[in-house]
């Protein structure tokens, strides 16, 4: 699953390439990704055509495009969903001007997306982004295409935003926006105090300046659940999945089964800060190079993957102390940890654990 840094990379790309355009037409090649759309494909098309896209916004792993009628196009990438932009050049509409100066492997970042025969950036979990030349007009697994109005500087007569999804777990739907409970902006990318009505249960994420960290700490410390489960609870803080939870726990030297209520306030806050730092680093690495909108099936942080300290490293040496890392399953998810740096709590009878010799 893509986690916060990967989704933020996609959001920044959407802000740069898609915001300010109008939806000129909708092609639904496969209606299954629209399963959450009330009224199905017809309603999806009707509600999008003619609408201008005013912002690309993210809270945690939730991503939406604000529309000029006060509603939003909500995008879920699932395990394998990708959003790809065609026929654009970098132009107005970005809310992240730094993007312009950091376009990764492309010299000026201005033209390669716009040239239908040009390369795009391929981001995968296991290797550095590379330019690929696989731009058939209708890529395999293309499910939905939004035709978008042209902007000055575009190479052609319009652009397109494609949802490509191999495993069909992602989806799109048009949804009402609802006010935020605290009156602060709904998420990264917009100052509007709004978020999709079906996402109001999602807490602010660890990189959100409006996150009430004290409240998140209090909720964690009130729980007997394991701290890894708490860190991944999108109702406490959002955006953290299995990868960054393992990384944050390793940095904070905490085993994932440590009950929340056993943590002191400084330790709990330290865990949140450590996890936020890992995600910021992943974003700094990935965010400067992710230009095409592509999240890998495993979502493992683009080429930040090679810098991971814990996730997927069971059986390998701890990079801090040299002990052999272990893996176990917590609440159905793998947990890689260093048995020396991250002392496993005794007992833990309230948490179900199935040990594995080595786990991913
Ligand atoms: Zn260690």
């Amino acid at each position: 699953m893509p986690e916060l840094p990967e989704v933020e990379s996609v959001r920044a790309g959407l802000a740069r390439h898609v915001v300010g355009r109008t939806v000129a037409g909708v092609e639904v090649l496969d209606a299954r990704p629209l399963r959450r759309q009330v009224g199905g494909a017809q309603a999806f098309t009707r509600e999008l055509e003619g609408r201008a896209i005013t912002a690309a916004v993210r809270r945690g792993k939730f991503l939406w495009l604000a529309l000029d009628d006060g509603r939003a196009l909500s995008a879920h990438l699932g395990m394998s969903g990708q959003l790809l932009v065609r026929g654009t050049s970098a132009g107005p509409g970005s809310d992240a001007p730094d993007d312009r100066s950091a376009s990764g492997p492309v010299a000026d970042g201005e033209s390669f997306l716009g040239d239908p025969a040009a390369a795009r950036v391929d981001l995968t979990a296991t290797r550095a982004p590379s330019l690929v030349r696989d731009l058939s007009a209708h890529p395999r697994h293309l499910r939905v295409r939004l035709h978008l109005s042209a902007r000055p500087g575009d190479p052609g007569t319009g652009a397109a935003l494609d949802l490509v999804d191999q495993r069909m777990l992602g989806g799109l739907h048009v949804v009402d926006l609802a006010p935020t409970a605290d009156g602060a902006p709904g998420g990264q990318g917009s100052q509007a105090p709004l978020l999709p009505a079906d996402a109001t249960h999602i807490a602010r994420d660890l990189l959100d300046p409006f996150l009430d960290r004290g409240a998140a700490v209090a909720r964690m410390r009130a729980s007997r659940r394991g701290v890894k489960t708490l860190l991944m609870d999108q109702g406490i803080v959002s955006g953290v999945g299995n990868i960054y939870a393992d990384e944050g726990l390793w940095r904070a030297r905490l085993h994932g089964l440590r009950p929340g209520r056993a943590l002191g306030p400084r330790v709990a806050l330290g865990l949140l800060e450590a996890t936020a730092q890992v995600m910021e680093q992943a974003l700094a690495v990935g965010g400067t190079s992710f230009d095409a909108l592509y999240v890998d099936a495993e979502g493992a942080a683009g080429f930040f993957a090679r810098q991971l300290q814990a996730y997927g490293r069971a059986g390998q040496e701890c990079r801090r102390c040299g002990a052999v890392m272990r893996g176990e399953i917590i609440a159905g998810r793998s947990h890689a940890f260093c048995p020396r740096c991250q002392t496993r709590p005794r007992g833990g009878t309230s948490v179900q654990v199935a040990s594995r010799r080595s786990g991913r």
Side-chain angles (χ1 to χ4, degrees):
M1 273 300 260
E3 302 181 29
L4 187 156
E6 295 78 47
V7 180
E8 173 58 20
S9 299
V10 175
R11 188 207 65 77
L14 290 171
R16 184 175 176 188
H17 294 291
V18 168
V19 168
R21 296 178 187 274
T22 298
V23 180
V26 178
E27 267 184 86
V28 179
L29 289 84
D30 188 324
R32 283 177 288 175
L34 308 182
R35 59 193 170 279
R36 297 171 76 168
Q37 172 69 48
V38 177
Q42 283 188 343
F44 182 78
T45 301
R46 188 176 62 241
E47 291 170 16
L48 279 177
E49 279 184 347
R51 297 271 62 84
I53 296 166
T54 58
V57 197
R58 178 194 56 75
R59 172 182 287 208
K61 311 174 206 174
F62 276 72
L63 182 65
W64 66 95
L65 294 172
L67 304 173
D68 64 349
D69 64 352
R71 305 186 81 204
L73 171 60
S74 177
H76 306 259
L77 300 176
M79 295 292 285
S80 60
Q82 306 163 28
L83 292 171
L84 302 173
V85 179
R86 300 169 175 283
T88 84
S89 59
S94 171
D95 64 354
D98 289 347
D99 284 355
R100 301 293 300 276
S101 60
S103 49
V106 178
D108 61 5
E110 294 294 316
S111 61
F112 79 105
L113 274 172
D115 177 356
R120 78 174 56 185
V121 179
D122 173 22
L123 299 175
T124 76
T126 53
R127 60 178 187 268
S130 58
L131 294 174
V132 296
R133 295 183 178 275
D134 177 19
L135 287 183
S136 53
H138 282 66
R140 281 181 73 204
H141 310 304
L142 172 62
R143 309 301 179 186
V144 178
R145 168 169 288 174
L146 305 187
H147 294 273
L148 303 172
S149 62
R151 280 194 318 213
D154 281 353
T157 55
L161 175 64
D162 291 347
L163 173 67
V164 177
D165 195 354
Q166 183 176 354
R167 286 189 261 174
M168 303 296 283
L169 297 168
L172 301 169
H173 67 289
V174 180
V175 65
D176 289 329
L177 291 173
T180 55
D182 56 10
Q188 173 75 28
S190 172
Q191 291 300 310
L194 301 168
L195 77 170
D198 54 5
T200 52
H201 60 293
I202 302 298
R204 293 189 178 278
D205 62 64
L206 281 173
L207 302 189
D208 187 332
F210 296 97
L211 170 69
D212 184 344
R213 290 190 178 194
V217 163
R219 286 192 62 187
M220 292 174 75
R221 296 186 63 228
S223 175
R224 60 198 302 170
R225 289 189 291 160
V227 69
K228 177 161 182 179
T229 305
L230 293 169
L231 196 54
M232 293 172 62
D233 182 337
Q234 305 298 300
I236 297 177
V237 294
S238 64
V240 183
N242 214 33
I243 298 169
Y244 295 103
D246 270 8
E247 294 300 303
L249 287 162
W250 184 85
R251 285 200 184 204
R253 301 178 188 239
L254 287 172
H255 189 280
L257 278 180
R258 191 80 72 85
R261 64 181 182 182
L263 302 181
R266 273 196 208 170
V267 172
L269 184 61
L271 173 62
L272 295 184
E273 288 172 348
T275 308
Q277 284 167 7
V278 180
M279 293 197 295
E280 277 170 358
Q281 289 176 4
L283 197 53
V285 172
T288 58
S289 299
F290 295 4
D291 202 345
L293 311 178
Y294 188 123
V295 167
D296 179 76
E298 300 304 320
F303 69 132
F304 185 68
R306 62 181 58 178
Q307 296 176 31
L308 294 176
Q309 307 293 328
Y311 178 79
R313 297 198 72 245
Q316 301 178 51
E317 286 185 1
C318 171
R319 288 184 175 142
R320 190 163 46 207
C321 77
V324 176
M325 305 271 293
R326 290 189 193 156
E328 62 182 276
I329 303 295
I330 298 179
R333 306 299 300 269
S334 70
H335 176 43
F337 66 99
C338 170
R340 191 180 294 164
C341 299
Q342 297 165 271
T343 313
R344 198 176 181 288
R346 292 183 187 176
T349 51
S350 64
V351 187
Q352 285 197 330
V353 183
S355 292
R356 271 190 182 178
R357 201 165 297 163
S358 70
R360 283 287 317 247

